[in-house]
Amino acid sequence: HAQLEAEQAQGADPEDPDEYLAKEARPGGPILLGDGAVELEVLDVDASEIHCRVVVGGTITSGKGVNAPGGLSARPILAEKDLRDLELGVELGVDLVGVSYVRTEDDISTVRRVLKNLGRPTPLVAKIETKLALENLEAILGRADAVMIARGLGARVLRATSATDLDDAADLLRDHPGPVVVDVRIDPAVRLPKKDRMAAFAPEAPRGGRFVN
């Protein structure tokens, strides 16, 4: 078993995604650590503590992210630190901006609006790593310049998604005019049948050759 403490650490950003876990975690739901390297199942939530069962164990080093594939829907897409990072990126003249924890197309629009106000409309890469993002994939693709199927999506979400829905998602990705990155370096998903892995999104001969594995 594992226990997560969702209390805000000293000096932590109040809009850090970890701070929303206790509010949105539900018994039976998954929590992924370190880009899906470790998978937990929520048993119960008690104030600021989340009690979990370890579904897939592994080694987690400091600084790794915590992700609820449901999407942490209450969390603003941009925390204060994100806004500071965008300002720095504009100063440095970055060419691309990756948007993590995307849930809907509105998240992409929010980041694009901030960059426009900063005077540098920069192309956006939407990272698909939540169940909500997978459900809203078509609308997200309509707003993003590029997309990445990220490791944080996790094995459980893929297993819980029907083959038909995976096929539909793959078709949308193949037809997307911009770059598409499928990150298949996921553990434990690499031990799942092929149809349940990230590779389900990357057929051997994608049209236009836009997939990058």
Side-chain angles (χ1 to χ4, degrees), residues 59-65:
T59 301
I60 295 295
T61 57
S62 62
K64 295 297 183 181

Side-chain angles (χ1 to χ4, degrees), residues 9 13 21 42 57-58 71 83 92 103 134 160 194:
D13 191 321
L21 278 174
V42 177
L83 293 172
L92 296 175
R103 298 149 300 190
L134 196 57
K194 182 177 179 180

